[in-house]
């Protein structure tokens, strides 16, 4: 009988908390944080949806064309693709909350710098090819923390104005 109760509890937990029941959510957010603290921005691509990867690659090509024509310092993404809301490399990174939404899962990513500054970005995770992938990174709009701008929007606004 205890085994049956445990199974029923597990099913109820999975129904009540689908985001936590999805093992990939923790795997992706933990890997994202490992890459962020290692400052391995190129490694983040392995976690992205095909669509977000294509957007990033297009932005890099467009940026390279501007750099070739006008010099590296005049390129809009001279500092690189903004994979986090603050340029400084974080000293720590931790997935701090998970919220299921329609067709996606939102994961809060809490950062801290060496100087003790703290900020939070949000990962938008989407199922693709049977696993969770990063489909956007939302940046906090200080001081309101409204998360109005994300990686997709920043890259579009950089070149399509």
């Amino acid at each position: 009988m205890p085994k049956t109760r445990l199974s029923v509890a597990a099913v109820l937990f999975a129904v009540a908390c689908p985001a936590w029941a999805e093992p990939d959510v923790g795997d992706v957010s933990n890997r994202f944080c490992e890459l962020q603290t290692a400052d391995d921005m190129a490694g983040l691509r392995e976690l992205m949806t095909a669509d977000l990867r294509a957007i990033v690659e297009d932005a890099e090509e467009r940026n390279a064309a501007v750099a070739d024509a006008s010099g590296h310092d005049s390129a809009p993404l001279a500092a690189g693709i903004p994979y986090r809301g603050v340029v400084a490399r974080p000293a720590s990174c931790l997935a701090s909350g998970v919220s299921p939404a329609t067709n996606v899962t939102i994961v809060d990513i809490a950062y801290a710098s060496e100087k003790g500054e703290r900020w939070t970005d949000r990962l938008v995770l989407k199922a693709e090819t049977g696993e969770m992938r990063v489909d956007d990174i939302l940046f906090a709009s200080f001081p309101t923390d409204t998360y109005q701008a994300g990686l997709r929007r920043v890259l579009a606004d950089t070149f399509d104005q």
Side-chain angles (χ1 to χ4, degrees), residues 29-30 33 37 92-97 107-112 120:
S29 56
N30 290 338
C33 278
T37 55
S92 68
C93 178
L94 178 69
S96 62
V107 180
D108 288 348
I109 300 294
Y111 297 101
T120 302

Side-chain angles (χ1 to χ4, degrees), residues 29-57:
S29 56
N30 290 338
R31 181 71 179 136
F32 180 86
C33 278
E34 289 170 9
L35 293 166
Q36 285 283 7
T37 55
D39 213 23
D40 182 359
M41 302 300 97
L44 290 175
R45 289 177 200 213
E46 70 188 47
L47 303 177
M48 294 179 186
T49 60
D51 185 52
L52 183 57
R53 234 183 353 263
I55 290 168
V56 167
E57 289 167 0

Side-chain angles (χ1 to χ4, degrees), residues 127-147:
E128 181 178 85
T129 63
E131 52 190 21
M132 296 302 276
R133 297 272 180 202
V134 176
D135 196 49
D136 204 356
I137 303 167
L138 305 178
F139 310 124
S141 300
F142 298 107
T144 60
D145 289 339
T146 56
Y147 299 95

Side-chain angles (χ1 to χ4, degrees), residues 76-99:
L77 298 173
I81 302 289
Y83 291 113
R84 54 185 173 252
V86 174
V87 176
R89 175 181 170 185
S92 68
C93 178
L94 178 69
S96 62
V98 177
S99 305

